[in-house]
């Protein structure tokens, strides 16, 4: 395993090393240009005397962080440094930067990798110029046409930080994503905003494998290079809003003109390097914050990040800097647009939309007013897009494409434009309103023998169905390392108070999807971890590794206050002390499970679940369990949790205080 | 330790989710009839499991990735003119098709700006009228759709789409 990883590491990133600027530029010829050489010495001297390289502004421009072994830059590409020691020495890099500003590029040096240092590091130039007051007569500033073109094309007026909501249908993007949108100046002619023509800046990994397992491992170990990219905003809108039906929340930043310019200049600098991309720490969200910090050094963003870095945490970090978010705007997913369209339709018209969704030739009632016909056809188009998003994106002339074509033709025949759709913003789902991502709990528990215990709870991330609802999707549970344990206060025969680990999961996901006439998606859940078992399968108790999976149906009211679900589950478990199938240490079971969730108030949730697992040919023949939770959020990050559990051998109840942090 | 735990965690997810998907197709150029189609931009080509997985974890596959410099890709321009208008139509094809049939919508407003047209309402009306020429059938490729759209905009002099000339 370790050897294999080493092999991967040696192969990663090697191909990205182009020519380094420091190897290509010609340093200042000291004897040839004594005046410039004198000025450079003077600047170096002043930089040293004022200890510029220790300033926070410089540290942020170089992404240097204090580590256990000393100062180190998080940037991993060598061309980000003009000094060979730049990655670990801000001082050496500052000196090399000043020297670089005086260097020259050979004539005809137009290689895409190589720019004059002043052009490659415009944000460094801006800051050093402010600190040292460069004399343009003695330090010549070359033209930087490539940067100028970039600057003109993005045409930045404002910046906003965009959060793309949770997407549970893909395990890898359940946490959501973030990127920066560069808002262009409004169109001078009509003053209208053309948002789709803006650019989006994202930090993403360059993936070089199509093997799923290697992909997962490399992603977690930081073996893919992550780079900043500039992408038309409409690409992101289509991908997230339409293909994946995810809402976008846009947090406009209160940046000054100079800060926006510094941000763009610093992005340009970052364009010549890469950062090792770690999915759970230095990910899409992390380095974007680093770039914002470089543009406004008084910001304190990365210090709010802890492991694992959840994209929603970055939004909370923005809010931890008062005044930074100027305005929040919302761009609804296609699904939300569709629901808004339905709101304007009566029962018969909704039925018609449903039928058009699989038979686009269904005639509209004779004499239907054209405005109604438009509303029905417009909704049916969205329905087909939602139900067949992937096929429509990748192929033409498929059955869904023909269906959509027919609906569009019928709509176009009514030569009246559709009115703009207004969609209510779901303010209560904004990620910054959510509880923090980690959780610990402490309380008391008692079982039916009267034995008391101290109840313990811990979880690395993120949210379960009973946690306070604001800021999170109502139908989703995603937990990483949820742990339950207790310390029994009664003494056992040896006189000790026992610590009992009840359960710990690597990952636990519940993805519910309410059934309605427009959406027949199945609900599913998976839980992989370890549980403590005390039944006929082992003497006393034993720990089993367990994988449980289930799929089924969910019914819910449209506001999701009442939700009930039923699944058919498969359980596989194994443990050395287990007496399982035919005497083997393996247990396999199958059975129904279900639950009822009531959102009594936004922060008061009742969740009751139950399961029955039939264990054919094994002892015991079956196990069952019922659990009820009532959880009250006292504040954003504090909850009171009352739980009761009944299973085939015991009843327990507990009261706990939970802290999110 | 952290890395080990998380490696276990995602390996498990990946192994579980990829059952039956041994290897994904390597990302091809994805150009041609797809033009600047969303699929080819986001996934490189028709996606295998890993491409989809990568794209949704902010990984980038395939050839049509943009750098801070925008590279030379025609698909990255939003500055105005025929090339930008074409790539915009191709990337937004599914949403654009609906907007054309509806005679209005955000993609039409943005296209009108890219094309330098005088009035986006008039553009919406004209495109709706020409729906059958622009989208003759479900077989129409992205590049055919974008060409037909520009032809239709250029042919209608009253729209005065100044950046398409």
């Amino acid at each position: 395993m370790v050897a294999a990883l080493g092999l991967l590491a040696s192969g990663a990133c090697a191909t990205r090393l182009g020519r380094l600027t420091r190897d290509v530029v010609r340093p200042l010829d000291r004897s040839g240009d004594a005046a410039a050489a004198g000025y450079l010495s003077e600047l170096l001297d002043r930089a040293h005397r004022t200890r510029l390289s220790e300033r926070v502004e410089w540290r942020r421009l170089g992404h240097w962080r204090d580590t256990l072994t000393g100062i180190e830059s998080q940037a991993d590409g060598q061309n980000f440094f003009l000094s060979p020691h730049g990655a670990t020495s801000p001082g050496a890099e500052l000196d090399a930067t000043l020297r670089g500003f005086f260097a020259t590029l050979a004539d005809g040096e137009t290689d895409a990798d190589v720019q004059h240092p002043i052009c490659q590091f415009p944000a460094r130039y801006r800051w050093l110029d402010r600190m040292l007051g460069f004399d343009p007569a003695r330090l010549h500033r070359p033209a930087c046409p490539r940067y100028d073109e970039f600057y003109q094309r993005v045409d930045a007026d404002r910046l906003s930080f965009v959060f793309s909501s949770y997407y549970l249908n893909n395990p890898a993007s359940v946490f959501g994503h973030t990127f920066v949108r560069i808002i262009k100046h409004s169109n001078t002619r009509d003053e209208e905003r053309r948002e789709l023509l803006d650019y989006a800046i994202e930090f993403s990994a360059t993936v070089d494998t199509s093997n799923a397992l290697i992909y997962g491992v490399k992603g977690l170990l930081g073996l893919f290079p992550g780079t900043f990219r500039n992408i038309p905003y409409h690409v992101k809108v289509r991908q997230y809003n339409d293909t994946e039906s995810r809402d976008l929340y846009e947090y406009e930043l209160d940046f000054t003109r100079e800060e926006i310019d510094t941000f763009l200049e610093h992005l340009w600098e970052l364009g010549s390097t890469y950062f090792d991309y770690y999915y759970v720490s230095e990910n899409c969200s992390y380095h974007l914050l680093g770039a914002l910090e470089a543009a406004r050094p008084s910001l304190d963003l990365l210090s709010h990040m802890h492991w694992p870095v959840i994209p929603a945490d970055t939004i909370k970090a923005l809010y931890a800097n008062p005044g930074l978010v100027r305005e929040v705007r919302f761009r609804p997913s296609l699904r939300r647009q569709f629901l808004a369209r339905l709101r304007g339709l009566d029962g018969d018209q909704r039925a018609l939309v449903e039928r058009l969704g699989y038979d686009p030739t269904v005639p509209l009632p004779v004499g239907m007013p054209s405005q109604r016909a438009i509303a029905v056809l417009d909704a049916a188009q969205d329905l087909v897009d939602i139900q067949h998003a992937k096929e429509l994106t990748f192929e033409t002339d498929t059955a869904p494409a023909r269906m959509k074509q027919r609906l569009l033709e019928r709509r176009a025949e009514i030569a009246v434009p559709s009115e703009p759709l207004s969609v209510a913003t779901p303010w209560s789902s904004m990620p910054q309103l959510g509880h923090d991502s980690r959780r610990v709990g402490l309380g008391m528990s008692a079982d039916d023998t009267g034995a008391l215990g101290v109840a313990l709870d811990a979880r690395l991330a993120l949210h379960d169905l009973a946690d306070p609802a604001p800021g999170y999707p109502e139908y989703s549970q995603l937990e990483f390392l949820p742990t339950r344990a207790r310390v029994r206060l009664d003494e056992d025969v040896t006189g000790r108070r026992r610590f009992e680990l009840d359960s710990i999961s690597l990952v636990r996901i519940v993805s519910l999807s309410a059934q309605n006439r427009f959406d027949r998606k199945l609900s599913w859940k998976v839980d992989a971890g370890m549980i403590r078992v005390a039944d006929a399968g082992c003497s006393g108790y034993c720990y089993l590794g367990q994988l449980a999976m289930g799929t089924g149906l969910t019914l819910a009211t449209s506001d999701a206050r009442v939700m009930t679900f039923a699944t058919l589950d498969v359980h596989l478990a194994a443990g050395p002390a287990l007496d399982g199938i035919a005497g083997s240490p393996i247990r396999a079971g199958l059975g129904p499970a279900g639950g009822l969730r009531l959102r009594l108030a936004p922060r008061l949730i009742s969740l009751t679940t139950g399961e029955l697992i039939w264990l054919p040919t094994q002892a015991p023949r079956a196990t069952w369990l019922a659990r009820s939770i009532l959880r009250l959020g006292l504040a954003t990050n504090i909850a009171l949790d009352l739980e009761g559990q009944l299973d085939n051998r015991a009843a327990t109840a507990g009261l706990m205080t939970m802290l999110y942090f | 330790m952290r890395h080990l735990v998380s490696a276990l965690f995602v390996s498990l997810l990946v192994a579980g989710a990829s059952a039956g998907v041994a290897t994904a197709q390597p990302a091809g150029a994805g150009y041609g009839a797809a033009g600047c189609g969303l699929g080819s931009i986001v996934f490189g080509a028709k996606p295998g499991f890993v491409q989809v997985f990568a794209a949704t974890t902010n990984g980038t596959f395939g050839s049509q990735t943009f750098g801070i410099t925008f590279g030379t890709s025609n698909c990255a321009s939003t500055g105005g003119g025929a090339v930008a208008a074409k790539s915009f139509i191709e990337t937004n094809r599914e949403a654009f098709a609906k907007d054309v049939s509806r005679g209005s919508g955000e993609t039409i407003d943005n296209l009108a700006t890219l094309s330098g047209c005088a009035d986006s309402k008039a553009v919406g009306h004209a495109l709706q009228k020409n729906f059958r020429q622009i989208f003759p059938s479900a077989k129409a490729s992205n590049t055919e759709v974008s060409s037909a759209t520009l032809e239709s905009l250029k042919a209608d002099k009253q729209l005065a789409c100044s950046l398409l000339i």
Side-chain angles (χ1 to χ4, degrees), chain A residues 119-164:
Chain A
C119 298
Q120 186 181 350
F121 296 107
R124 293 185 190 183
Y125 182 88
R126 175 189 289 268
W127 184 70
L128 289 170
D129 184 23
R130 190 182 325 131
M131 292 294 109
L132 298 169
F134 292 148
D135 175 2
R138 290 189 283 171
L139 173 56
H140 172 66
R141 187 174 189 177
C144 302
R146 283 167 51 208
Y147 177 74
D148 293 345
E149 195 212 342
F150 164 74
Y151 186 82
Q152 279 157 21
R153 282 178 77 166
V154 295
D155 189 21
D157 182 35
R158 286 161 294 147
L159 300 179
S160 76
F161 203 84
V162 185
F163 176 79
S164 161

Side-chain angles (χ1 to χ4, degrees), chain A residues 55 63 76 114 137 148 162 217 222 231 233 272-273 278 309 372 385 399 444 484 505 519-520 525 576 602 618 623 644:
Chain A
R55 298 280 187 95
H63 295 252
D76 295 294
V114 180
D148 293 345
V162 185
V217 172
I231 293 172
Y233 186 50
S272 62
T273 188
Y278 297 88
V309 172
R372 294 287 84 198
D385 261 357
M444 294 296 291
R484 276 297 170 94
S505 290
D519 193 348
R520 304 284 184 211
K525 60 183 186 178
Q618 297 155 70
T623 64

Side-chain angles (χ1 to χ4, degrees), chain B residues 27-136:
Chain B
Y31 219 84
C36 295
L38 183 67
S40 58
I41 288 179
V42 176
F43 298 100
K46 211 184 149 188
F49 170 77
V50 170
Q51 276 98 326
V52 177
F53 199 77
T56 47
T57 42
N58 263 9
T60 305
F61 241 104
S63 55
Q64 297 196 3
T65 57
F66 312 122
I68 290 296
T69 56
F70 308 91
T72 53
S73 171
N74 291 336
C75 303
S77 169
T78 65
V83 171
K86 276 193 73 139
S87 84
F88 178 84
I89 292 165
E90 289 157 15
T91 307
N92 291 275
R93 182 204 174 135
E94 294 304 323
F96 178 64
K98 284 192 292 191
D99 285 351
V100 170
S101 83
R102 293 168 180 172
S104 67
E106 190 183 27
T107 62
I108 289 178
D109 295 342
N110 282 270
L111 175 66
T113 297
L114 274 178
S115 308
C117 313
D119 175 9
S120 67
K121 279 207 174 69
V123 170
H125 189 71
L127 292 179
Q128 188 183 42
K129 217 171 54 192
N130 292 340
F131 180 84
R132 292 279 194 154
Q133 282 83 60
I134 298 168
F135 295 97

Side-chain angles (χ1 to χ4, degrees), chain A residues 170 177 184 189 194 197 199 204-205 212 215 220 229 238 244 284 331 378 381-382 385 394 404-405 418, chain B residues 6 14 43 53-54 56-58 60-61 66 70 76 78 92 94 98 101-102 104 106 113 117 135 138:
Chain A
N170 186 317
H177 284 302
K184 279 186 182 173
R189 195 177 52 220
R194 298 292 184 235
L197 306 185
Y199 282 98
S204 59
Y215 173 82
L220 283 158
R229 286 198 175 74
R238 297 281 86 90
E244 299 178 347
C284 63
R331 180 176 272 276
D378 285 1
Q381 293 178 351
D382 282 356
D385 261 357
F394 294 111
K404 181 174 174 181
Q405 172 75 15
S418 300
Chain B
S6 34
V14 174
F43 298 100
F53 199 77
T56 47
T57 42
N58 263 9
T60 305
F61 241 104
F66 312 122
F70 308 91
T78 65
N92 291 275
E94 294 304 323
K98 284 192 292 191
S101 83
R102 293 168 180 172
S104 67
E106 190 183 27
T113 297
C117 313
F135 295 97

